């Protein structure tokens, strides 16, 4: 399959899981040894764990939309830059509800199998911007680098 086919699989996964909540269909795109890693969770998640996490976030943020800003592919790797937009209407991942429309940038590194199944997703979210938008205390980069 071509690089464009791999990018389409990734964008389809984002749309099915995050935008539409069609998690059973999204899971069909996962390999048997699928892993999800993220900057806001402590341990990798299996396919079922990923689906539960997305379901929990979508429950708390029912207006959530994920826009893919950029999608780049090379060999069996795909990188996406996305913007998540929505409001936290119910507590989620330890964060309080807010009436503010949040905009959160995310970078994800995807590994696909030769059969174009999604084997791994590693996502980094701009959590400092997220916290600032909620009015929560942030830690400047210089402060976190100090011993």
């Amino acid at each position: 399959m071509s690089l464009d086919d791999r990018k389409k699989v990734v964008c389809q996964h984002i749309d099915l899981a995050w935008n539409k909540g069609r998690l059973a269909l999204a899971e069909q795109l996962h390999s048997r040894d699928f892993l999800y890693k993220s900057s806001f969770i402590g341990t990798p998640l299996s396919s079922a764990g990923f689906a539960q996490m997305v379901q929990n976030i979508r429950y708390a943020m029912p207006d959530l939309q994920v826009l893919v800003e950029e999608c780049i592919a090379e060999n069996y790797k795909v990188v996406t830059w996305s913007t998540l937009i929505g409001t936290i209407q119910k507590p989620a991942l330890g964060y309080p509800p807010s009436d503010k429309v949040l905009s959160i940038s995310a970078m994800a590194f995807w590994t696909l199998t030769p059969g174009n199944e999604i084997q791994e997703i590693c996502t980094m979210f701009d959590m400092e911007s997220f916290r600032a938008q909620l009015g929560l205390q942030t830690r400047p980069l210089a402060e976190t680098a100090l011993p």
Side-chain angles (χ1 to χ4, degrees):
M1 296 191 125
S2 71
L3 295 178
D4 282 339
D5 290 334
R6 290 187 185 99
K7 292 192 303 189
K8 285 177 187 173
V9 167
V10 165
C11 289
Q12 178 185 23
H13 185 272
I14 291 169
D15 190 49
L16 287 171
W18 293 102
N19 293 332
K20 296 179 179 167
R22 307 285 307 267
L23 298 167
L25 290 175
E27 282 187 278
Q28 290 179 10
L29 300 173
H30 297 174
S31 68
R32 290 183 191 265
D33 58 345
F34 173 87
L35 279 180
Y36 177 78
K37 301 173 186 174
S38 174
S39 60
F40 70 86
I41 57 172
T43 59
L45 300 175
S46 66
S47 185
F50 171 80
Q52 185 62 56
M53 178 199 65
V54 172
Q55 185 175 22
N56 292 344
I57 292 171
R58 286 181 45 79
Y59 174 76
M61 300 179 74
D63 61 346
L64 178 67
Q65 285 294 304
V66 177
L67 307 169
V68 177
E69 308 285 355
E70 188 77 41
C71 186
I72 301 168
E74 182 177 301
N75 296 322
Y76 296 106
K77 300 283 187 181
V78 177
V79 177
T80 55
W81 164 40
S82 301
T83 303
L84 292 77
I85 300 170
T87 54
I88 301 176
Q89 297 177 16
K90 296 176 181 76
L93 300 170
Y95 292 98
S98 172
D99 59 355
K100 297 176 183 176
V101 177
L102 304 171
S103 174
I104 307 153
S105 290
M107 296 286 297
F109 299 87
W110 305 69
T111 304
L112 280 69
T113 66
N116 276 355
E117 294 175 311
I118 300 168
Q119 187 172 36
E120 182 175 288
I121 307 170
C122 183
T123 306
M124 296 182 293
F125 291 90
D126 182 357
M127 297 306 288
E128 288 303 303
S129 172
F130 172 70
R131 292 177 57 77
Q133 290 174 64
L134 285 173
L136 301 173
Q137 183 179 5
T138 61
R139 294 184 61 195
L141 183 59
E143 179 185 329
T144 61
L146 296 174

